[in-house]
Amino acid sequence: RELHRTLETRRIEGLYFAGQINGTTGYEEAAAQGIIAGINAAAKALGKESFVLDRSDAFIGVLIDDLVTKGASEPYRMFTSRAEYRLSLRADNADLRLTRKGYEVGSVSEERYALLLQKQKKIEDGMDRVNRLDLSPEEWSRRLSIPVNSCGKRRSAFEMLSRRDVRFLDIRSMFPNELSPIDQATAEHIKIEAMYYSSTERQRREIQKFKQSEFLKIPQDLDYTKFLSIPTEDKEKLAKYRPNTLGAATRIEGLKATTLIILNSYCERIVDNHVIDPDLECVES
């Protein structure tokens, strides 16, 4: 809780911490913090923008957000169960999620970034191909020798790949001319995306809402005592944790819904340039 999301200490500008001193245990946790602290220390020295990963970007973002928002009353380990969006934070798509961010901050080479662009192009081409191939449920059932619910709606090859009993190899054998250009690695990625599609689409909508709340910044010098409608207990929690976004405030344990509504109203007025100082009347009018 003494840290910014960049892992810079609140008390001493330009000092960055990583590892056990932040309340974590484990080599991976220390390494993850070291990457973020190192990138931001270099960015600070070079006068560049800070680098922050949020909870929807990576497990590193979950770890740091937990440390900054909740603190660590006992040695912290990064369990996947801590992440709300873990279906989207998979090992097989880590490069797709993070390589561009690393390149933009100067931590990824031109060569590696070029490989990412090639992979993305292959995936986009492959996804386009399997989405353009469609048949009636009856035809899929006949050709794959599996039961397919007949609903009168044609289904794409991508939709069929969402089934565990349908392999990419099965679809490729049906459409060799259309799907032969897709290599094995790309085929495996498409199969995984198809199987998780309904869940990841739901998470994508949740992430959009999350991003909106993360966009609403809370001034770090905000005087919570001026909010008469916020309970004293909540004021103490907010003053203690000092969340820098509305999203971070929602993750403070025990914070009342009415408190979040008041903060949301205040933050939106800041965005609209309607609030300059945390004046009580304009906050709760």
Side-chain angles (χ1 to χ4, degrees), residues 214-257:
E214 289 296 302
F215 174 74
L216 293 174
K217 304 295 183 182
I218 300 176
Q220 289 296 282
D221 59 352
L222 185 59
D223 184 359
Y224 293 104
T225 62
K226 292 190 175 182
F227 294 82
L228 295 184
S229 295
I230 293 181
T232 300
E233 181 183 356
D234 283 2
K235 291 178 186 178
E236 292 173 352
K237 289 179 180 179
L238 290 166
K240 179 181 180 180
Y241 294 116
R242 286 284 164 191
N244 60 355
T245 68
L246 183 66
T250 65
R251 295 186 289 278
I252 296 176
E253 187 175 356
L255 215 58
K256 293 178 174 57

Side-chain angles (χ1 to χ4, degrees), residues 56-74:
S56 65
D57 290 325
F59 284 111
I60 297 177
V62 175
L63 182 154
I64 293 175
D65 184 70
D66 282 349
L67 293 178
V68 172
T69 304
K70 303 175 183 177
S73 57
E74 59 184 36

Side-chain angles (χ1 to χ4, degrees), residues 2-144:
E2 289 291 331
L3 301 169
H4 294 292
R5 292 175 185 275
T6 59
L7 295 183
E8 181 182 23
T9 61
R10 293 180 182 272
R11 300 190 183 191
I12 303 176
E13 184 179 358
L15 177 62
Y16 296 78
F17 285 152
Q20 288 185 334
I21 194 171
N22 291 342
T24 61
T25 181
Y27 296 112
E28 295 86 354
E29 287 80 357
Q33 293 169 74
I35 291 172
I36 300 300
I39 289 173
N40 281 300
K44 184 90 167 183
L46 295 173
K48 295 184 177 181
E49 290 187 12
S50 58
F51 179 68
V52 175
L53 294 173
D54 65 39
R55 300 181 75 88
S56 65
D57 290 325
F59 284 111
I60 297 177
V62 175
L63 182 154
I64 293 175
D65 184 70
D66 282 349
L67 293 178
V68 172
T69 304
K70 303 175 183 177
S73 57
E74 59 184 36
Y76 181 99
R77 292 304 305 265
M78 183 60 250
F79 301 116
T80 56
S81 58
R82 297 185 189 272
E84 306 91 324
Y85 312 119
R86 52 188 173 274
L87 285 181
S88 301
L89 306 181
R90 306 189 309 272
D92 66 276
N93 67 9
D95 54 345
L96 298 171
R97 288 184 283 110
L98 299 173
T99 302
R100 182 183 296 275
K101 293 179 182 292
Y103 176 74
E104 291 172 349
V105 81
S107 296
V108 170
S109 67
E110 292 283 352
E111 293 77 13
R112 183 171 179 182
Y113 184 59
L115 290 174
L116 170 73
L117 296 180
Q118 291 176 18
K119 180 176 180 177
Q120 286 180 325
K121 189 175 185 306
K122 288 180 179 180
I123 291 172
E124 290 169 3
D125 177 67
M127 292 288 282
D128 180 62
R129 288 173 181 270
V130 295
N131 275 300
R132 281 191 286 109
L133 297 172
D134 61 13
L135 296 172
S136 67
E138 293 76 16
E139 187 66 10
W140 281 118
S141 180
R142 184 182 68 80
R143 298 181 68 174
L144 291 173

